[in-house]
Amino acid sequence: MVIAPCANGRVHPETDELVAFGRRLQALRAGAIGVCIVGGDVNVAAREIAQRHSVPVTAIQAAGFSHYLSEPYVAVLTEEIEAVKPAFVCAPHTSQGWEWAPAVAARIGAGCICGVDGITECQGRLCFQKELYGGKVKGLFSVSTTTTVISVMPGIFTIKPAPPPCPPGPVTYKEAAWRPAQTRYVGTRQAGVDASDITAAPIIVAVGNGIGSPENIALANRLARRLPKAAVAGTRVVCDRGWLGYDRQVGISGASVAPALYIACGISGASQHVMGMRGARFVIAINTDPRAPIFNEADICIVEDIIRFIPLIEEACGRLAEGTKEAIDVR
Amino acid sequence: MKILVCVKQVPDVERIVVRDAADGMAALDISNEFRMNRFDEFAVEAAVRIKESMAGASIHVITVGPGRAADVLKRPLGMGADQGIHLKTPTDADPGPAAVAAFIAGYARSRGYRLILCGSMSEDGLNGQVGPMAAAYLDLPYATQVIAIQPAPDPSELSIEREIEGGAREMLAIRLPALLTLQPGINRPRYPSLSRLLRAHRQGVETIPTETLRPAEAWVERLGLMAPPRMRASQVLTGSAREKADRLAAILKEKAFI
């Protein structure tokens, strides 16, 4: 059972990824896919999902619903899941799904795995793969309960090109009492930061925890000045410490960037950061830890301490520039 | 106001070495150095700030783990927590989020906590499940990824902000008692004070064996570990640091970046 994210009556793009994940599960374990969508005005969205994916959809219309809230969402979903008893409940690993999935699992007594980015068969059992230890390694997990609740990492599972026209799946309409007793939604504030400096830059010098101290940001600034139109960016940790402004943050909670060149300096490579830089065309990573996960995301890997290595890059670029100049002079 | 803060002892993630093992699997060499999960420091700091602004507030800090895990309570006590509780597991094995949440809920039930705070996840498991699960077991309203906490006009509520995608924030009012999991960046955790650390050392912690709380069901089993796949060429430059720098400059030139 796929739980479509709540998006004020619209179909959220993550729904497609969750259906793709469901299809992948189906290839390993036979069973039917159903989609469930909960919200204030979900009937149109439910029909659209049924059409697009040719799957049965349950639309749970909840009067008085204006915005996602954990408390009533958990209550409505728990009731629906207990009635349907699916083998798998697939949630998006987002600020919504990651919040409600563990609570629903606890209420129904289901095993729960959050942040799943792969499914495999392992020792004859169905295994869900997820990152551990800051992304240094992936764990393979198997669940023994009748129902398994999974939150699926966004951006991993993609739907194949549209199949030949299929009949739309049936839509079942239900109503739920929506009584947000203890929590109240007040409003949403958009991010107050303008990340255009880094989203527009063709070259990004990005710093992570390995930069060590705020004074060393100067090293990154100097390297950036050597490279045409380069901007300095950082990971969440660096921005949280105030070493760089939040307008410089790359990652899930910051900006997504796609520069021609991304130089990751002292960045370990946790998925929260990596998901914001996967679009980069060429990636150079410098880190002291040869097993840092950022190296899996890099074209060029350099195992060095950035504090000592950044000045060496500057010198090397300088030598190269002089060499070129001399060559021109000789001519 | 009685506040309960949940903290976890984790191995130093930076010191973990990933090795290749048989059948394409991986193995971990975990050092014997453990520390408090960084995400939990924000929860301790948030609790201490509430205590400082509110007469009569007290902070209990709780952890679930084997004998060594009691050490993780020292830092929060040094930061300003009043009492440490160690729910001691019989073995070194991590019982998993569902069992940890059930143990914490078992302890917290009927002890009158108005606010339970957790970090948004742990550095080792990256699950973020203990908070929502404990809230479900205790039947409390909850919110995750909280990035701001303010007193509300109604003293039985808190005004909070949750961080959602792209750095936007959902503003909520939540009625107490409640459970919140906090995002890093909500505050700047202070260093523990020496005098508090010494007092914490004398005072000791309350130790409760988890066997006396409730059975821990193992619903999720870890079957193995894998090295993450390479997404790009991952060409490693070799030689002296200077040689690597020269090679890198040549690559930058070749690709017309300089």
Side-chain angles (χ1 to χ4, degrees), chain A residues 185-196:
Chain A
Y185 172 71
V186 179
T188 301
R189 213 146 49 82
Q190 290 312 313
V193 296
D194 171 14
S196 55

Side-chain angles (χ1 to χ4, degrees), chain A residues 67-70 74 94-95 98-100 102-103 105-107 109-114 122-123 125 127 129-145 182-191 203 209 227-228 236 240-242 246 252-254 260-261 272 278 280-284 289 291 295-304 309 312-313 316-317 319-320 324, chain B residues 11 13-20 25-26 28 30 38 42 120-121 123-129 132-133 135-137 139-145 147 157 161-175 183-185 188 218-237 239-242 244-246 248-253 255 257-258:
Chain A
H67 193 275
Y68 164 81
L69 266 178
S70 63
V74 168
T94 58
S95 61
W98 194 7
E99 181 173 66
W100 65 254
R107 289 210 184 262
C112 180
I113 309 174
C114 286
C122 177
Q123 299 160 25
R125 291 156 80 178
C127 273
Q129 181 186 304
K130 72 167 288 234
E131 281 189 344
L132 297 173
Y133 299 101
K136 270 192 157 176
V137 72
K138 287 188 193 282
L140 296 170
F141 293 88
S142 149
V143 180
S144 59
T145 46
Q182 313 296 321
T183 9
R184 206 170 63 244
Y185 172 71
V186 179
T188 301
R189 213 146 49 82
Q190 290 312 313
I203 297 181
N209 195 36
L227 301 163
R236 169 136 200 169
D240 278 345
R241 291 197 186 128
Y246 282 109
I252 291 184
S253 47
L261 172 63
Q272 286 88 342
R278 276 235 166 100
R281 281 213 295 286
F282 196 73
V283 178
I284 295 165
D289 178 1
R291 299 305 288 255
F295 287 137
N296 298 312
E297 306 287 338
D299 296 281
I300 302 292
C301 309
I302 300 165
V303 183
E304 287 290 342
F309 194 69
L312 294 180
I313 307 175
C317 291
R319 276 195 296 277
L320 205 62
T324 319
Chain B
V13 172
E14 276 110 62
R15 285 170 180 270
I16 286 173
V17 179
V18 183
R19 281 187 291 112
D20 294 323
M25 303 296 272
L28 292 181
I30 294 178
R38 294 242 160 87
F42 300 95
S120 56
M121 62 173 138
E123 292 168 75
D124 52 354
L126 308 175
N127 286 307
Q129 294 182 11
M133 285 180 164
Y137 291 138
D139 212 11
L140 290 178
Y142 74 101
T144 60
Q145 296 178 236
I147 191 73
E157 286 185 345
E161 292 181 6
R162 289 185 73 218
E163 193 172 63
I164 59 171
E165 281 66 26
R169 292 168 172 210
E170 265 174 11
M171 296 178 281
L172 308 171
I174 191 161
R175 190 165 293 279
Q183 275 296 77
R188 302 256 167 90
W219 292 332
V220 178
E221 188 191 346
R222 194 173 90 190
L223 296 183
L225 296 168
M226 266 174 33
R230 283 187 180 161
M231 308 303 285
R232 289 174 189 259
S234 300
Q235 185 199 338
V236 181
L237 301 190
S240 70
R242 194 183 148 140
K244 289 180 202 171
D246 281 335
L248 180 62
I251 291 168
L252 292 175
K253 178 95 189 144
K255 300 258 173 200
F257 290 127
I258 52 172

Side-chain angles (χ1 to χ4, degrees), chain B residues 12-248:
Chain B
D12 191 337
V13 172
E14 276 110 62
R15 285 170 180 270
I16 286 173
V17 179
V18 183
R19 281 187 291 112
D20 294 323
D23 307 324
M25 303 296 272
L28 292 181
D29 290 332
I30 294 178
S31 78
N32 281 324
E33 283 174 53
F34 293 90
R35 56 172 167 75
M36 179 157 80
N37 173 36
R38 294 242 160 87
F39 292 91
D40 300 340
E41 292 178 13
F42 300 95
V44 176
E45 178 64 32
V48 175
R49 289 188 188 193
I50 292 170
K51 182 182 154 182
E52 285 170 346
S53 69
M54 194 181 278
S58 68
I59 304 170
H60 290 183
V61 56
I62 193 167
T63 194
V64 178
R68 61 169 161 77
D71 281 349
V72 80
L73 298 169
K74 285 180 189 159
R75 191 179 173 94
L77 289 167
M79 287 168 74
D82 301 288
Q83 169 71 45
I85 301 128
H86 177 202
L87 305 183
K88 192 175 168 197
T89 55
T91 68
D92 222 31
D94 186 336
V100 169
F103 293 146
I104 291 172
Y107 178 84
R109 190 170 289 121
S110 74
R111 277 188 164 85
Y113 295 109
R114 292 283 281 167
L115 184 61
I116 302 180
L117 299 177
C118 305
S120 56
M121 62 173 138
S122 66
E123 292 168 75
D124 52 354
L126 308 175
N127 286 307
Q129 294 182 11
V130 169
M133 285 180 164
Y137 291 138
L138 291 165
D139 212 11
L140 290 178
Y142 74 101
T144 60
Q145 296 178 236
V146 172
I147 191 73
I149 306 175
Q150 296 290 332
D154 176 350
S156 66
E157 286 185 345
L158 285 177
S159 292
I160 56 169
E161 292 181 6
R162 289 185 73 218
E163 193 172 63
I164 59 171
E165 281 66 26
R169 292 168 172 210
E170 265 174 11
M171 296 178 281
L172 308 171
I174 191 161
R175 190 165 293 279
L176 299 171
L179 183 148
L180 307 176
T181 82
L182 309 188
Q183 275 296 77
I186 184 172
N187 52 41
R188 302 256 167 90
R190 71 193 65 194
Y191 287 102
S193 86
L194 186 60
S195 61
R196 283 210 178 92
L197 279 174
L198 290 170
R199 197 171 57 215
H201 194 72
R202 281 197 308 273
Q203 186 189 342
V205 300
E206 182 185 358
T207 306
I208 299 170
T210 51
E211 301 92 292
T212 64
L213 290 167
R214 58 174 282 167
E217 288 123 309
W219 292 332
V220 178
E221 188 191 346
R222 194 173 90 190
L223 296 183
L225 296 168
M226 266 174 33
R230 283 187 180 161
M231 308 303 285
R232 289 174 189 259
S234 300
Q235 185 199 338
V236 181
L237 301 190
T238 54
S240 70
R242 194 183 148 140
E243 283 163 355
K244 289 180 202 171
D246 281 335
R247 180 80 195 100
L248 180 62

